[in-house]
Amino acid sequence: MRRRTVTAGNLEEFLEATAPATQAAEQPQPQAPAARPAPPQDHGLRTEFEFELPRGYVDEAGTLHRHGAMRLATARDELRPQIDLRVKENPAYLSVVLLSQVITRLGTITDVHAGIVERMYATDVAFLQDFYRRVNSEGHTRAAVTCPHCEGAFEVDLSGGRLGES
């Protein structure tokens, strides 16, 4: 293959010489009407789950963010951290990168990145790790619990508010 050096002076000449033959007439072609995208179909698959952090994230301005949303993880989400240099240096950082990719909203913050997850309280990160596992492995946000006083078994939805709140 032969290399060719192109300078600004002969750029137009080069573009004309390499243009496809079908554009020789340079006549405007009538454009076909744009096809309308099909309306999104509801397949009944829930892909985003609301949550409430136990403690909450406090941003630089001092605002507390407790309510958020997490989407289902894709294969790409789980593979991407494997090539991240921070994860290669410290494998424990994997959950920080992974959570930052699947959290779509945290209070009014819509750009959730690893720096935000790093500054969360450990109890909130542990909650989010468990929430991620439940949503992506089990497909729901419910947890079976037992009352420590009466030993009665019941289910709690982890995405909701505090116990007893609706």
Side-chain angles (χ1 to χ4, degrees):
M1 177 178 236
R2 195 175 129 214
R3 289 187 192 205
R4 180 170 188 179
T5 304
V6 179
T7 63
N10 64 356
L11 181 60
E12 288 297 322
E13 175 187 319
F14 177 74
L15 290 174
E16 288 174 15
T18 58
T22 57
Q23 293 179 353
E26 292 289 330
Q27 294 178 356
Q29 299 293 326
Q31 293 185 355
R36 289 184 183 170
Q41 295 180 354
D42 182 16
H43 297 289
L45 176 65
R46 187 172 172 197
T47 60
E48 191 166 86
F49 297 83
E50 301 282 325
F51 61 81
E52 182 178 345
L53 295 174
R55 298 215 184 276
Y57 168 72
V58 180
D59 64 15
E60 295 82 19
T63 306
L64 179 67
H65 303 275
R66 292 190 62 200
H67 298 279
M70 179 185 293
R71 65 174 173 76
L72 286 176
T74 63
R76 175 178 281 176
D77 292 326
E78 295 208 350
L79 292 171
R80 185 175 290 155
Q82 301 298 325
I83 60 172
D84 192 298
L85 293 177
R86 298 169 294 188
V87 174
K88 287 183 178 182
E89 290 176 8
N90 181 3
Y93 201 75
L94 183 136
S95 63
V96 171
V97 175
L98 188 56
L99 289 173
S100 70
Q101 292 180 149
V102 296
I103 297 173
T104 57
R105 178 178 44 79
L106 185 58
T108 57
I109 303 168
T110 56
D111 180 26
V112 180
H113 51 80
I116 290 175
V117 178
E118 285 176 351
R119 291 188 301 271
M120 286 182 177
Y121 294 111
T123 53
D124 289 336
V125 174
F127 168 84
L128 289 169
Q129 288 170 330
D130 184 55
F131 192 74
Y132 174 91
R133 184 185 54 77
R134 289 183 184 280
V135 165
N136 288 286
S137 298
E138 301 169 13
H140 60 80
T141 59
R142 296 178 308 276
V145 295
T146 304
C147 176
H149 300 290
C150 69
E151 297 188 14
F154 58 97
E155 268 189 359
V156 175
D157 187 355
L158 296 176
S159 64
R162 301 256 182 232
L163 287 176
E165 294 179 359
S166 49

